[in-house]
């Protein structure tokens, strides 16, 4: 197994169960990205909806974890917005309901935590062969402070040109919807052992070059990821692959 420590100025610990990691991030002087997905859980086939007791849940979170909610803390409201509804074949009524849920969630968080920076993520796969969802994406982007995108490659070489096009065009898409929004690129740092390793490296070399268009880069699955079976997690970061990420890693003395 090859492991590496990223050069970072922020961290994301995941959902509420990992708050001890969030506290370690704060103690290290790094900025936290806190998971507020509990306010807008995904409904099967429909996507996220605001829970009925959202105000009470948020108030409890604030009371219990006020030390993490420093000015400038980032909060994450929706993961890969519209993707579940699109993949389930749900149409514009479902997309609008998801947008309305985000609007209500944003209003609630801004009321209770005006110091927080609110964000969502959007997936390339929600828009493939589905341009009708793009206006809904733009409306969602207009509501938030930051937006991340995922252009994960899952082994299908025919998808590579479209994924590169999405990564390259996403910053312009977001800025046209909200000139002040931060754009974050989520870099893929895992490989399934069945994938062609050279195709993966070529894909990520282009993606990491395109990441320069973004305000920030997030790394998903650096040492572990739910996208791979447990026995493969962290075991396919060979030296040749690691070299792609060299500028994000500590520089070792010659």
């Amino acid at each position: 197994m090859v492991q590496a420590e990223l050069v970072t100025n922020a961290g994301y610990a995941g959902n509420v169960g990992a708050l001890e990691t969030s506290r370690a991030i704060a103690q290290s002087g790094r900025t936290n990205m806190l998971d507020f997905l509990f306010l807008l859980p995904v409904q099967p086939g429909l996507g996220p909806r605001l829970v009925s007791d959202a105000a009470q849940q948020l108030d409890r979170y604030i009371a219990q974890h006020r030390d993490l909610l420093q000015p400038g803390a980032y909060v994450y409201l929706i993961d890969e917005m519209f993707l579940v509804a699109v993949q389930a074949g749900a149409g514009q009524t479902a997309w609008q309901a998801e947008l309305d849920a985000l609007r209500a969630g944003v209003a609630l968080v801004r009321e209770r935590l005006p110091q927080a920076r609110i964000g969502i993520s959007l997936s390339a796969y929600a828009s493939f062969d589905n341009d009708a969802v793009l206006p809904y994406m733009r409306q969602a982007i207009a509501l938030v402070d930051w937006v991340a995108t995922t252009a994960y490659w899952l082994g299908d070489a025919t998808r590579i040109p479209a994924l590169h096009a999405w990564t390259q065009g996403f910053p312009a898409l977001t800025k046209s919807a909200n000139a002040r929004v931060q754009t974050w690129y989520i870099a893929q740092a895992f490989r399934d052992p069945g994938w062609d390793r050279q195709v993966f490296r070529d894909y990520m070399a282009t993606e990491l070059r395109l990441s320069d268009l973004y305000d920030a880069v997030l790394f998903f699955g650096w040492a572990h990821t739910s996208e791979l079976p447990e026995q493969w997690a962290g075991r396919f970061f060979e030296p040749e692959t690691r070299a792609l990420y060299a500028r994000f890693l500590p520089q070792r003395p010659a």
Side-chain angles (χ1 to χ4, degrees):
M1 180 182 292
V2 178
Q3 295 183 335
E5 180 181 352
L6 289 165
V7 178
T8 63
N9 59 12
Y12 171 52
N15 214 331
V16 175
L19 285 171
E20 67 279 4
T21 305
S22 294
R23 289 196 163 84
I25 291 168
Q27 290 167 8
S28 73
R30 293 172 170 85
T31 299
N32 258 312
M33 188 175 86
L34 300 168
D35 201 330
F36 277 29
L37 301 181
F38 62 91
L39 294 177
L40 290 129
V42 173
Q43 305 300 309
L46 296 174
R49 298 291 188 271
L50 192 68
V51 294
S52 59
D53 61 342
Q56 292 86 349
Q57 287 201 37
L58 182 56
D59 287 343
R60 283 197 297 271
Y61 184 100
I62 293 170
Q64 294 169 5
H65 311 301
R66 194 176 300 276
D67 58 310
L68 297 175
L69 297 168
Q70 302 302 316
Y74 290 85
V75 299
Y76 189 27
L77 278 188
I78 293 181
D79 180 52
E80 297 187 327
M81 191 171 180
F82 304 115
L83 180 63
V84 169
V86 166
Q87 290 185 334
Q92 296 187 22
T93 299
W95 307 343
Q96 183 62 52
E98 196 166 336
L99 183 61
D100 293 342
L102 174 64
R103 186 175 287 108
V106 167
L108 176 63
V109 174
R110 293 211 190 284
E111 176 189 350
R112 300 296 208 275
L113 293 170
Q115 76 273 30
R117 300 178 185 180
I118 301 171
I120 59 173
S121 67
L122 296 168
S123 171
Y125 291 94
S127 71
F128 286 161
D129 307 315
N130 187 34
D131 288 346
V133 78
L134 292 175
Y136 293 86
M137 287 186 171
R138 291 189 180 95
Q139 292 180 71
I141 293 165
L143 296 172
V144 298
D145 303 304
W146 59 268
V147 58
T149 193
T150 55
Y152 298 137
W153 184 60
L154 300 175
D156 181 358
T158 66
R159 278 297 191 194
I160 288 177
L163 287 166
H164 286 333
W166 170 266
T167 300
Q168 186 166 23
F170 188 76
L173 169 72
T174 60
K175 296 297 184 183
S176 68
N178 181 353
R180 296 187 300 275
V181 73
Q182 290 184 359
T183 57
W184 295 6
Y185 174 78
I186 304 178
Q188 182 172 355
F190 62 85
R191 179 180 68 81
D192 186 288
W195 299 345
D196 184 302
R197 69 179 64 185
Q198 190 56 53
V199 173
F200 173 70
R201 289 174 192 151
D202 291 344
Y203 173 72
M204 281 312 303
T206 298
E207 287 290 304
L208 291 173
R209 176 177 56 79
L210 293 172
S211 75
D212 290 339
L213 300 170
Y214 290 74
D215 298 305
V217 180
L218 298 177
F219 291 88
F220 179 77
W222 190 251
H224 173 77
T225 172
S226 59
E227 300 289 339
L228 294 181
E230 185 72 25
Q231 68 267 29
W232 301 127
R235 296 183 179 273
F236 290 91
F237 197 60
E238 308 93 345
E240 295 86 352
T241 299
R242 185 185 189 282
L244 296 174
Y245 302 84
R247 63 193 172 103
F248 302 105
L249 297 169
Q251 297 303 305
R252 296 175 178 172

